[in-house]
Amino acid sequence: MTAAAVTPPAAPGWWTSRFGQIPGNGRRLLAGLGASRLGFVVVPFAAYWLANDRDLTAGQTAVVMTAFGAGWTFGVLAGGSMADRVGRKYTIIIANVLSAGAFLLLGAAPTLLSLCAAAAAAGFAFDLARPAVQALLADIVDAQSRAPALALLYWIMNLSRAASCVIGGLLAQHDFRLLFVLNALLNLAFAAVVAAVVAEPPRPVVGRGRGAWRSVLADRRMVGFTAVTLVFLTVHAQSMVTLPVVMDEAGIPPVWYGIVLAADPAAVVIAQLLLQRFIATLPAAKACAAGIAAVGAGLPLTAVGDSVGWFVATTPLWVAGEVVFLAIAPAVVAGLAPSDMRGAYFGVWGATMGVAALAAPVTALLLLHLGGGTLLWAGCVIAGAAAAAACLRMDLSPASAEPDGSDAR
């Protein structure tokens, strides 16, 4: 079986025909997740809230956000392990209840120390459910529908993120506490929906015991793809770490920054609709390499600008790369993973998001100190090119053929 098998070939009505094959159980899961991710409102406004509402300095804000990133990293790892051991469904329920409580604690934390502790807890709970959601969706659909189903998951999460940025801005004008309340209510609602109407299909019992992580790390293809993903995400994270500083120095007013903040996921939603047919025609390794290279080259191109027009005109270049990589990468992970270890595989792979959130600002500070913006953006180009080249050399074909499934519908 070749790498191209990870993404089904294009055909007339590809999106409609493939997504129409997702059983009702999967559609309920996707709908519930989309609604719950509107509670994403807290995360994009967290640093702004800390500086504006809590009067923290830039250094103090960075410390709190670092605690959030550290919690995020360990939370995804733990969520993957729980998904395989406790079960996908129960992990999603537990994670969303914990997330509701953790973010309420963050909103009420009175001191810097308590803010750091609550931020670490909120980061831990934030994506605790993601590996279980990805693994459950991969369990529910048959092998042929897995790639488009996981691509739809990514599309829905971005659609919700775009809406949440707008909702968050409106609520924050009145009271920042509303962000935390909305997040908690939507998390609890999603937990209730999963408990009531989402079924978990039978799956093999995990028999690897404490050796689960060792089994994942012994898979050289998985380790290589995870390393490439980490490089990609660290480069991409400069869009949230350094690009806002570039825009501020260019005199872009806050209102335009807010529009760009919401426009990024909106652009992802549109770009994925336009590019999905193209993505489906490429082998997985080539598609992922193209996405990495586009982000590595496109983001620095945006950063050399000094006007709203330039930022708006060049952003689609690297947003397209983000779409190409992240629309197909989850299907690669699902294909590499044994069916009883999908949670652990998604946990290890998903932890790269938290690691990148920690590595990106440190890397930016170091390169800016050594050589300024030129060195930083040149480093992004080089890192993107190297990761894309490494990806092209990988065999990303599924670990084994799987029978179409015994799915809970």
Side-chain angles (χ1 to χ4, degrees):
M1 186 174 291
T2 64
V6 177
T7 51
W14 188 86
W15 277 75
T16 303
S17 62
R18 294 305 183 199
F19 295 153
Q21 293 175 11
I22 299 176
N25 196 29
R27 291 195 293 270
R28 289 190 290 272
L29 177 66
L30 290 169
L33 178 71
S36 74
R37 292 299 280 195
L38 291 174
F40 187 85
V41 286
V42 173
V43 178
F45 287 90
Y48 186 85
W49 165 70
L50 291 167
N52 180 274
D53 193 64
R54 305 305 300 271
D55 297 320
L56 267 60
T57 66
Q60 291 171 328
T61 298
V63 169
V64 176
M65 294 308 295
T66 298
F68 182 90
W72 188 4
T73 301
F74 290 106
V76 179
L77 284 169
S81 181
M82 287 175 62
D84 289 337
R85 293 183 164 280
V86 179
R88 323 312 197 196
K89 179 173 178 175
Y90 289 118
T91 297
I92 296 170
I93 295 169
I94 293 168
N96 278 273
V97 172
L98 290 177
S99 182
F103 276 94
L104 287 176
L105 286 175
L106 176 61
T111 65
L112 179 60
L113 182 61
S114 62
L115 279 169
C116 288
F124 182 87
F126 171 59
D127 255 354
L128 185 64
R130 187 195 288 253
V133 171
Q134 293 170 316
L136 180 55
L137 188 60
D139 293 342
I140 287 172
V141 301
D142 58 46
Q144 187 182 22
S145 301
R146 188 170 299 140
L150 289 167
L152 179 60
L153 174 64
Y154 170 66
W155 185 82
I156 287 174
M157 291 178 71
N158 275 286
L159 183 64
S160 294
R161 183 160 67 99
S164 73
C165 289
V166 177
I167 295 170
L170 294 172
L171 293 177
Q173 286 185 339
H174 298 283
D175 192 334
F176 275 102
R177 289 175 295 184
L178 295 174
L179 302 180
F180 298 92
V181 172
L182 177 62
N183 179 80
L185 290 175
L186 289 175
N187 274 275
L188 292 174
F190 183 41
V193 167
V194 171
V197 300
V198 174
E200 179 174 353
R203 58 188 174 81
V205 177
V206 177
R208 291 172 172 80
R210 295 183 179 274
W213 299 123
R214 288 195 295 271
S215 297
V216 177
L217 297 177
D219 185 337
R220 285 191 284 183
R221 295 195 301 161
M222 180 61 187
V223 171
F225 188 66
T226 300
V228 163
T229 301
L230 178 58
V231 174
F232 166 81
L233 290 175
T234 302
V235 172
H236 181 269
Q238 299 307 327
S239 65
M240 297 171 282
V241 172
T242 309
L243 192 58
V245 177
V246 172
M247 294 178 65
D248 180 65
E249 291 176 348
I252 305 302
V255 64
W256 277 103
Y257 174 67
I259 291 173
V260 172
L261 187 71
D264 175 42
V268 169
V269 168
I270 296 170
Q272 189 174 353
L273 288 172
L274 296 175
L275 293 172
Q276 190 62 49
R277 186 183 296 273
F278 166 74
I279 295 170
T281 66
L282 293 177
K286 290 183 178 180
C288 290
I292 295 168
V295 171
L299 191 55
L301 183 63
T302 298
V304 302
D306 59 1
S307 68
V308 171
W310 179 266
F311 293 135
V312 171
T314 57
T315 292
L317 299 176
W318 54 268
V319 166
E322 174 190 350
V323 168
V324 170
F325 183 84
L326 291 178
I328 191 59
V332 171
V333 176
L336 294 176
S339 58
D340 64 328
M341 293 186 64
R342 283 192 186 122
Y345 270 66
F346 275 120
V348 170
W349 181 75
T352 56
M353 291 181 286
V355 175
L358 296 173
V362 174
T363 303
L365 286 173
L366 177 61
L367 294 180
L368 288 170
H369 176 73
L370 292 175
T374 301
L375 181 59
L376 171 62
W377 298 117
C380 288
V381 174
I382 294 170
C391 194
L392 284 174
R393 296 176 62 87
M394 293 180 181
D395 174 16
L396 299 181
S397 58
S400 61
E402 297 179 68
D404 290 348
S406 59
D407 304 322
R409 298 176 186 266

